[in-house]
Amino acid sequence: MSDDLVHPAATPAGTAALLPGPSGGAVAVAGPWLDTAGSVGAVRKGIASLLGGMRVTGRYVARPSTVVTQHYPENRETLRVPERFRGALRFHHDADGYHGCTVCRICEDQCPNRSIVITQREKGALTKKELDTFIWRLDACTFCNTCVMVCPFNVLHFGPGFESAVYDRRLLVYTLNGYAGPTAALLNKQADPDARKAACEPRDPFCGPTVLQALAEKRAARRKAAEAEAAQGVGLKSPAAFEKSAARTAPDPVPVPGPVPVPAPVPVPTQPGSVEAADVG
Amino acid sequence: MNATVATTLRARLDALPSQSLLGTQEYFVNMGPQHPSTHGVLRLVLKLDGETVHQVIPVLGYIHRGIEKICEHSNYRQLVHLTDRMDYLSALANNWAATMVVEKAAAMETNSRIEAIRTLVTELQRIHSHQLWWGVFGMDLGAFTPFFYGFRDREILTDVFERTIGGRLTMNYIQPGGVMHDIHPELVADVKAFLAVFKPRLDEYEALLSENVIVQERLRGVGVLTAQDAVALGATGPVLRASGVAHDLRKAEPYGLYGQVAFDVPVGSRGDCWDRYAVRMQEMRQSIRIVEQLLDNIPEGKHFLVKPAAKIKVKPGVWYSHLETARGVLGAMLVSTGGEAPYRVHFRTPNFNNLWAVTTTATGGRVADLVAILSSLDLVIPDIDR
Amino acid sequence: MATSLLPVSGQALDAQSLVAKIQKLCPAAQLRPDCDRPAVKVPLAHWPVLAQQLFASADLLFDLLETHTAIDWVQTGQIELVYVLTSLQCGHHLTVFVDVARDNPVAPSLCAVWPIAQWQEREVFDLFGVHYTDHPDLRRLFLDDDWQGFPLRKDYADDFMLERPS
Amino acid sequence: MHFDPQSLASRAAHLAPTDPWPALGVVVGSVLGVAAFVTVLGLVLIYAERKIAAHFQCRVGPYRVGPHGTLQAVADAVKLLLKEDVVPTGSDHLLHILAPVLSFAGMVLCIIALPMGPHAQVVDLDIGVLYITAVAGLGVLGILLGGWSSHNKWSLLGAMRAGAQIISYELSAMLALLVAVLFSGTLQLSGIVLAQQEGWWIWRAHGAGLVAFVLFVVAGTAEINRTPFDLAEGESELTAGFHTEYSGLRFAFFFLAEFLNLFVLAAMATTLFLGGWMPLHIGSWSAWNAAMDMLPPGLWFAGKAAAVVFLLMWFRWTFPRLRVDQLMRLEWKVLLPIGFANLFFAAVLVVSGWYFFPTVAAAPVPQLPAAGSSDDAGGAP
């Protein structure tokens, strides 16, 4: 390989002095070799090797302190989840319960699986762009952390909640923001507390419109467009095919008028590790 | 018994249609897609005569997700996290392979701190991966206990990853332009504590499994893959090195900081299951060596050199880069026609190419040998199917 | 007893001399400049012979077919076969591009030169629909035997494909 | 100390002519006792195996059902009882149903002949050793039928492996057994125990006993299909071998038989080489011997059997499995020659009357008055 083709990152400067430098090459492995060529010696060595293994396991059985089992649900109190652990996506609210989301939609755009859907208030209280619902689909999330990385306002972070098992898949669709309304910066400019209150509308984790409904609307629009294309004979897919693929996307039939009838908001127990999407009042 | 009778018997046996002297029939049996030793949804159709394997026909596709197709619809940042799901035991190396080709294509710079962190975590993950392999290998041979010891020690390392990276299996840590998080302040101490625990444990591993006469009898001379066959069948990584070919991209084309650390490349001589086993055991020790050299020498600097949300654009062309994961050469090919999304992405995965060694090495052996061979190839099925 | 392929028996060539050497073997081969590694474009007719020479030629010794895949250039109507070759004995690389027609993709199989090609070609057949002549076992590799279409082609669509939300 | 062993069967036979109802009571009591013993012992062994395995592997094992998971085995048993009993299509229904029963029956038939204490033996056959080796063979029949009737190639492979393995290893087990028989001069199990009053054969028999004990444990492990000889199940090779297609109650029968076979093996090794229920006596140290006699014989038996069971569990959770041809090689080329040589050596020792501890005028094997009919199944010869 010629020098001009070497990836520039392959030889970063500045570390050569610290590290011992390249050395070493191919070494033949033999490993702990048991020569079992002789007959009597073979039996003796074989038995010795077996006893060696039994010594290892015997040492552990003799010392119960080597047990590493954790008694999981009982040790919730002492369980320490690292702060960077990607459990449940959380939406940052400040001390007043205000968020900083400006609906720039970078996270929605960068999410590889489209597991974030943001809806905008039709008519903002203070500005044109105000957050209505920030919807996170845990069922589609791969926990790649990209949304957290790209958010310019540090609104998103991953919390430690890892106990996200539910019996109904639709319960994996969360609304993360505590209220629909303008950002903390705008609200703090309002001197009147009542004006602030009026600008905000509370949201809870399972309030509508859920992402499924939002997607259903998008799908309906796309189906219309596809039908129009098919009528002109330019679409790759037949409307029937579209119907089929649409049916596979959603667990519930579309379209649903009004809020999708998800089961009533399950009271999320506030135990450590549970999904605490509603951590603001 | 006189000679005539013996001759007649011989003639009658020779006249039998089957290859077997006993005149038995061959039969087919499905090993997988749900089988404890195929470690996933690999299906092998076996043509057996009694216990003797006459032919192995791998049938793939049970977990094919079309990662290459999905990449065509992702931008250059998004495609990295898909590689976590190929060889999930080498997620960081996979991330790095994708990152490397994107950085090369987009002419992105890195600094020595980023490279040091990448080298360190990838090497830790090589140990991590081999620990799991060792445990599973023991279990495939019928010993249950190594499985738990392997996982017990792997857990320490998983916790180390969890603190720095936030993920335990799928990392998405190595990104174009750097690494997602700077290393955790406690990382160096954690890794040192791990090494202090793990080094004596490695000796225990040897006493429990390597030196065991049953293991040696089960592995020596079984599943011999000659160097010529290994290269012809595209095998790489420990499988190739066990056959006597000292090919390791960490030495041949050093990336990261591999050019600046001292380590040896363990090489086998026979290419049997034992050599593949011994090479991996030695690789763990070599990885420990590399980690120890890097731990105290991580240079200062930034861990991420571009804006996280910055658009990555690549001019038209074809790029290919490859590196050494715990299982062999992982290549990433990127074809761009300009813009923010690749035109085509192809991953040359080590397991897809290593798998085919089983078709030649397992024939003529027993079913139990086949299990040992499969385990010594250390296959991760999602990496075959992608 | 397996013989070791090491120590390295050949000499690694740099990009220019590698391409020059190949052009001497096959004058029709052209350097492909938009590739980061030494790469040549070879006409389909010359490729089987050149492959054999690349494998056997004493100073090239491309013993490892690292990977083989294809690129579907739907605009130009070509499927471009890609062969990434490595010489473990010499330590150099080469990428070979071969064009086949998209509507009638037929290429020679290289199983006789590099046995791993058998399965890599099956994958390309499965996902791109390239037919390899003289392939011993050309079947679908990942998909069902009765699958219609070739998913990695750019114009592939089926009833079950999910639309990527835009 | 004078022992007066009396089996339950002989007691019943003794009572029968004069007091038929108490005799019947003894019989019914024995049947119920064996049933209860088998069930409880099975659960205890399963719990012990799981706990011991766990601690070999740095785990705690069952922990949730009952204190320290003591009721886990019961819960599992209930679960298995409630499970659907699947009989695969294409299988031989009758044999499929029969196989676990045979396997279980072989094990129970072994247990009734084991002397677990001077009075804790159901039947004391005068050919006890021969009887046990014979009925233990029923187990292999169960495995063979189970694998064959399942209509599954993996099961069939497991069954064939088991057949070849058990038949081969029975030879070695037999040769090891014969050493104890030679030294004791009787085939009666209680007689073998009584003959070890002065010292257990494992050390009293001048090396031959120790070698025979090791041979017996190794061959016995192979006979009951435990790791490192669990080729018939070989979950990493044959998924579960002969019992792949079994579920629910039938699987429970196989499972229980497997664990109780473990006990039968340990009990046999104890009886033949470790003195059975006999306390540990050393020569003429009368104080020591008296101290040892304080423990009841049943406890001695249980303790020794438990030690052997623990040893077998230790094997299982340490060693990998052999390959089928290596298994055969080990038997025919290693164990069998050693077994023959050992038997020959033992015969020489017995003929020359050379023991470690010279026999002090041991009490003769007590004869029960042959009050019943002379052709009763157990009891006095």
Side-chain angles (χ1 to χ4, degrees):
Chain A
M1 196 180 214
S2 61
D3 283 342
D4 55 340
L5 294 171
V6 173
H7 174 33
T11 52
T15 50
L18 296 169
L19 291 163
S23 78
V27 288
V29 293
W33 192 262
L34 197 64
D35 186 18
T36 50
S39 55
V40 178
V43 174
R44 195 178 55 78
K45 279 180 191 165
I47 292 172
S49 76
L50 297 179
L51 292 179
M54 286 173 72
R55 216 182 66 192
V56 172
T57 46
R59 264 211 306 264
Y60 282 113
V61 82
R63 282 183 297 172
S65 61
T66 55
V67 165
V68 293
T69 303
Q70 297 189 19
H71 297 279
Y72 158 56
E74 289 89 357
N75 71 351
R76 274 212 189 95
E77 300 300 316
T78 54
L79 209 58
R80 287 182 58 217
V81 180
E83 65 266 36
R84 291 180 189 172
F85 180 71
R86 301 173 202 159
L89 190 64
R90 306 272 283 274
F91 202 74
H92 182 72
H93 295 84
D94 63 16
D96 302 324
Y98 298 150
H99 64 69
C101 180
T102 62
V103 204
C104 67
R105 292 178 188 270
I106 293 177
C107 54
E108 191 184 28
D109 186 48
Q110 288 290 323
C111 178
N113 286 347
R114 299 282 156 172
S115 49
I116 291 173
V117 177
I118 296 172
T119 55
Q120 199 176 325
R121 279 183 122 179
E122 272 175 23
K123 196 174 171 302
L126 301 178
T127 52
K128 270 198 289 184
K129 267 170 87 177
E130 279 179 16
L131 179 65
D132 185 6
T133 48
F134 186 97
I135 295 159
W136 175 54
R137 294 189 61 172
L138 192 154
D139 56 345
C141 183
T142 56
F143 302 92
C144 68
N145 208 35
T146 306
C147 52
V148 178
M149 290 247 303
V150 298
C151 179
F153 306 101
N154 290 325
V155 168
L156 294 169
H157 65 282
F158 269 105
F162 60 89
E163 291 162 319
S164 39
V166 287
Y167 283 105
D168 190 324
R169 191 157 76 135
R170 285 172 296 180
L171 287 174
L172 293 175
V173 180
Y174 295 100
T175 302
L176 295 187
N177 53 326
Y179 69 93
T183 60
L186 283 172
L187 283 171
N188 286 334
K189 278 183 196 159
Q190 301 284 315
D192 181 16
D194 288 337
R196 289 188 202 174
K197 218 169 207 173
C200 301
E201 189 187 333
R203 291 278 178 263
D204 67 65
F206 299 105
C207 73
T210 66
V211 69
L212 299 181
Q213 192 188 352
L215 285 181
E217 282 159 10
K218 280 190 179 180
R219 238 189 341 260
R222 285 211 315 280
R223 190 192 305 111
K224 225 176 247 174
E227 272 164 8
E229 273 186 26
Q232 293 166 14
V234 292
L236 283 172
K237 284 183 162 189
S238 65
F242 219 105
E243 209 61 68
K244 221 166 166 183
S245 74
R248 283 168 61 90
T249 328
D252 54 338
V254 286
V256 184
V260 175
V262 294
V266 175
V268 183
T270 51
Q271 57 211 3
S274 67
V275 177
E276 292 170 35
D279 51 356
V280 288
Chain B
M1 188 180 284
N2 59 39
T4 334
V5 174
T7 326
T8 330
L9 184 63
R10 181 77 241 174
R12 278 175 58 198
L13 287 174
D14 286 347
L16 286 170
S18 164
Q19 299 171 342
S20 161
L21 276 181
L22 294 172
T24 51
Q25 279 186 327
E26 289 176 331
Y27 62 103
F28 284 96
V29 63
N30 265 317
M31 187 169 171
Q34 301 291 330
H35 189 280
S37 334
T38 53
H39 302 184
V41 282
L42 173 66
R43 175 174 161 214
L44 301 175
V45 178
L46 307 182
K47 195 204 259 179
L48 300 179
D49 181 6
E51 287 254 347
T52 311
V53 180
H54 280 186
Q55 201 183 350
V56 184
I57 307 163
V59 180
L60 308 178
Y62 289 89
I63 193 169
H64 198 278
R65 292 142 299 170
I67 284 179
E68 293 177 9
K69 186 83 172 175
I70 301 173
C71 284
E72 291 173 14
H73 298 275
S74 307
N75 67 30
Y76 291 106
R77 199 185 310 288
Q78 288 168 344
L79 64 84
V80 172
H81 93 289
L82 292 168
T83 60
D84 281 338
R85 277 120 186 119
M86 298 193 307
D87 176 358
Y88 47 79
L89 298 178
S90 301
L92 288 165
N94 296 357
N95 289 168
W96 200 356
T99 298
M100 199 185 267
V101 78
V102 170
E103 283 177 352
K104 192 151 72 159
M108 294 165 84
E109 292 288 322
T110 62
N111 63 25
S112 55
R113 180 177 181 82
I114 291 169
E115 294 297 325
I117 294 174
R118 287 175 177 179
T119 314
L120 178 68
V121 291
T122 311
E123 214 50 43
L124 282 173
Q125 195 166 54
R126 192 183 310 274
I127 302 175
H128 194 237
S129 164
H130 283 354
Q131 280 173 327
L132 188 140
W133 157 81
W134 181 80
V136 173
F137 190 80
M139 199 165 75
D140 283 345
L141 293 182
F144 250 93
T145 305
F147 182 77
F148 289 97
Y149 290 177
F151 268 85
R152 173 196 62 190
D153 300 338
R154 183 175 180 268
E155 185 64 24
I156 310 173
L157 211 40
T158 313
D159 287 343
V160 171
F161 286 140
E162 203 180 354
R163 278 182 103 170
T164 282
I165 295 168
R168 296 170 66 84
L169 191 70
T170 52
M171 309 292 196
N172 192 27
Y173 178 62
I174 298 176
Q175 295 275 317
V179 290
M180 189 172 264
H181 301 287
D182 203 351
I183 54 170
H184 194 274
E186 300 292 313
L187 177 96
V188 173
D190 282 352
V191 173
K192 279 183 178 163
F194 162 74
L195 292 181
V197 172
F198 184 58
K199 277 197 241 170
R201 294 259 170 94
L202 255 181
D203 297 330
E204 256 177 26
Y205 286 11
E206 304 272 11
L208 183 61
L209 211 56
S210 319
E211 292 168 8
N212 190 305
V213 65
I214 303 174
V215 172
Q216 304 220 346
E217 288 291 316
R218 283 286 303 272
L219 300 184
R220 274 160 45 183
V222 169
V224 174
L225 185 68
T226 62
Q228 278 79 6
D229 283 354
V231 176
L233 291 172
T236 48
V239 179
L240 179 65
R241 290 194 283 276
S243 296
V245 185
H247 178 69
D248 189 332
L249 285 178
R250 293 176 294 167
K251 279 271 183 233
E253 294 165 38
Y255 54 95
L257 290 197
Y258 286 116
Q260 299 166 45
V261 290
F263 67 101
D264 294 326
V265 179
V267 177
S269 54
R270 277 167 217 77
D272 55 2
C273 286
W274 171 258
D275 273 349
R276 291 193 277 276
Y277 175 88
V279 161
R280 287 202 185 87
M281 291 305 278
Q282 291 304 317
E283 274 189 9
M284 279 199 257
R285 294 183 190 277
Q286 295 300 331
S287 294
I288 290 175
R289 242 177 103 186
I290 298 174
V291 169
E292 280 178 336
Q293 292 169 48
L294 287 171
L295 265 186
D296 293 324
N297 296 324
I298 301 172
E300 293 301 316
K302 285 164 120 178
H303 72 277
F304 208 82
L305 296 184
V306 293
K307 278 188 185 155
K311 288 186 163 55
I312 302 172
K313 285 191 178 164
V314 169
K315 52 186 194 300
V318 179
W319 287 268
Y320 182 85
S321 69
H322 52 190
L323 51 74
E324 188 84 18
T325 75
R327 284 165 190 75
V329 174
L330 173 69
M333 193 183 80
L334 193 111
V335 182
S336 167
T337 51
E340 282 178 62
Y343 186 76
R344 165 116 176 86
V345 174
H346 173 69
F347 292 107
R348 183 258 185 232
T349 53
N351 291 289
F352 175 81
N353 293 279
N354 287 356
L355 166 70
W356 309 104
V358 78
T359 57
T360 58
T361 52
T363 49
R366 311 284 165 149
V367 176
D369 290 339
L370 172 66
V371 171
I373 292 166
L374 267 182
S375 204
S376 73
L377 292 178
D378 192 14
L379 299 172
V380 170
I381 312 307
D383 199 39
I384 298 174
D385 278 1
R386 303 200 288 296
Chain C
M1 178 71 92
T3 53
S4 175
L5 291 183
L6 287 183
V8 171
S9 51
Q11 188 68 44
L13 299 171
D14 62 19
Q16 282 83 10
S17 48
L18 193 61
V19 172
K21 215 152 218 142
I22 288 157
Q23 277 171 337
K24 215 159 86 184
L25 289 173
C26 172
Q30 293 170 333
L31 176 77
R32 187 170 160 147
D34 63 343
C35 202
D36 63 325
R37 312 204 316 167
V40 287
K41 185 133 194 167
V42 180
L44 184 63
H46 296 74
W47 173 228
V49 180
L50 180 65
Q52 188 63 48
Q53 286 169 330
L54 289 177
F55 178 77
S57 174
D59 43 3
L60 294 175
L61 289 173
F62 284 104
D63 41 25
L64 176 68
L65 176 57
E66 197 166 312
T67 191
H68 167 45
T69 186
I71 308 165
D72 179 21
W73 296 107
V74 69
Q75 261 90 23
T76 58
Q78 301 286 324
I79 287 180
E80 195 170 32
L81 302 179
V82 186
Y83 298 83
V84 178
L85 300 170
T86 299
S87 170
L88 297 182
Q89 294 174 76
C90 303
H92 47 233
H93 308 273
L94 180 70
T95 313
V96 178
F97 294 86
V98 181
D99 270 343
V100 292
R102 202 166 175 278
D103 44 5
N104 180 29
V106 179
S109 170
L110 298 180
C111 301
V113 187
W114 297 288
I116 186 62
Q118 183 181 339
W119 296 286
Q120 293 174 348
E121 285 168 358
R122 262 179 76 183
E123 186 189 345
V124 175
F125 166 71
D126 190 4
L127 303 176
F128 287 92
V130 178
H131 289 261
Y132 292 89
T133 50
D134 302 327
H135 190 287
D137 184 23
L138 196 63
R139 289 180 293 126
R140 292 258 187 202
L141 186 63
F142 295 128
L143 299 170
D144 295 346
D145 287 341
D146 56 353
W147 194 276
Q148 298 295 311
F150 304 103
L152 279 185
R153 287 199 181 194
K154 286 282 174 183
D155 56 358
Y156 175 81
D158 68 37
D159 289 354
F160 305 108
M161 251 168 104
L162 294 181
E163 286 282 294
R164 193 177 173 78
S166 51
Chain D
M1 193 180 178
H2 177 69
F3 292 106
D4 183 13
Q6 218 179 5
S7 71
L8 293 171
S10 69
R11 192 172 295 189
H14 185 60
L15 288 171
T18 50
D19 306 301
W21 289 112
L24 190 66
V26 172
V27 171
V28 171
S30 326
V31 169
L32 291 179
V34 167
F37 178 76
V38 161
T39 315
V40 172
L41 184 67
L43 295 181
V44 168
L45 278 174
I46 289 170
Y47 175 72
E49 173 97 315
R50 293 183 63 177
K51 267 296 186 199
I52 290 172
H55 279 273
F56 273 123
Q57 296 162 348
C58 306
R59 301 184 284 129
V60 291
Y63 210 79
R64 303 240 176 255
V65 191
H68 280 254
T70 34
L71 297 177
Q72 183 67 49
V74 181
D76 285 346
V78 172
K79 181 199 75 179
L80 282 175
L81 289 177
L82 296 177
K83 278 209 160 183
E84 187 191 353
D85 176 33
V86 182
V87 180
T89 18
S91 69
D92 190 326
H93 282 233
L94 179 67
L95 295 184
H96 192 77
I97 289 164
L98 197 61
V101 178
L102 273 179
S103 209
F104 193 73
M107 177 273 303
V108 174
L109 288 178
C110 283
I111 281 187
I112 60 168
L114 291 172
M116 302 181 204
H119 306 291
Q121 187 179 17
V122 181
V123 194
D124 187 17
L125 296 169
D126 45 7
I127 50 159
V129 174
L130 205 57
Y131 164 80
I132 285 201
T133 50
V135 295
L138 277 178
V140 65
L141 200 58
I143 292 177
L144 270 175
L145 286 184
W148 188 81
S149 65
S150 288
H151 196 237
N152 177 328
K153 289 168 189 168
W154 292 119
S155 297
L156 185 62
L157 264 181
M160 292 302 143
R161 282 181 176 190
Q165 171 184 339
I166 294 175
I167 289 165
S168 306
Y169 275 80
E170 256 178 14
L171 293 173
S172 277
M174 203 75 78
L175 290 176
L177 257 159
L178 282 177
V179 171
V181 171
L182 267 183
F183 277 100
S184 311
T186 174
L187 284 168
Q188 193 176 18
L189 287 170
S190 62
I192 291 176
V193 175
L194 282 179
Q196 300 181 66
Q197 199 161 3
E198 301 307 314
W200 307 346
W201 292 134
I202 187 167
W203 59 70
R204 195 164 164 237
H206 249 322
L210 180 62
V211 174
F213 174 74
V214 172
L215 277 186
F216 184 75
V217 168
V218 172
T221 314
E223 270 200 73
I224 60 171
N225 285 319
R226 272 180 78 84
T227 315
F229 306 107
D230 62 339
L231 282 86
E233 292 171 38
E235 68 289 314
S236 63
E237 294 158 24
L238 308 180
T239 57
F242 63 93
H243 60 64
T244 307
E245 300 290 356
Y246 280 91
S247 59
L249 193 56
R250 292 184 218 297
F251 172 74
F253 266 98
F254 265 132
F255 198 59
L256 204 57
E258 198 179 309
F259 274 92
L260 289 166
N261 274 329
L262 174 68
F263 168 73
V264 170
L265 169 65
M268 279 298 281
T270 305
T271 306
L272 295 169
F273 301 103
L274 301 179
W277 41 262
M278 202 57 87
L280 177 64
H281 284 186
I282 299 178
S284 53
W285 299 8
S286 47
W288 167 271
N289 293 351
M292 290 290 114
D293 287 341
M294 305 279 274
L295 282 177
L299 213 58
W300 274 104
F301 177 83
K304 292 178 205 176
V308 177
V309 165
F310 180 78
L311 184 70
L312 292 174
M313 288 182 179
W314 198 349
F315 287 166
R316 174 165 181 183
W317 299 111
T318 306
F319 299 143
R321 182 184 308 123
L322 273 82
R323 203 172 57 207
V324 65
D325 55 324
Q326 289 164 352
L327 184 87
M328 290 294 148
R329 207 173 63 207
L330 177 69
E331 162 62 13
W332 297 100
K333 291 192 173 171
V334 181
L335 295 188
L336 204 59
I338 294 176
F340 270 120
N342 191 46
L343 185 63
F344 181 76
F345 177 58
V348 170
L349 284 182
V350 170
V351 169
S352 60
W354 198 40
Y355 294 83
F356 258 131
F357 304 106
T359 319
V360 287
V365 178
Q367 304 281 314
L368 283 167
S373 58
S374 58
D375 58 346
D376 62 14

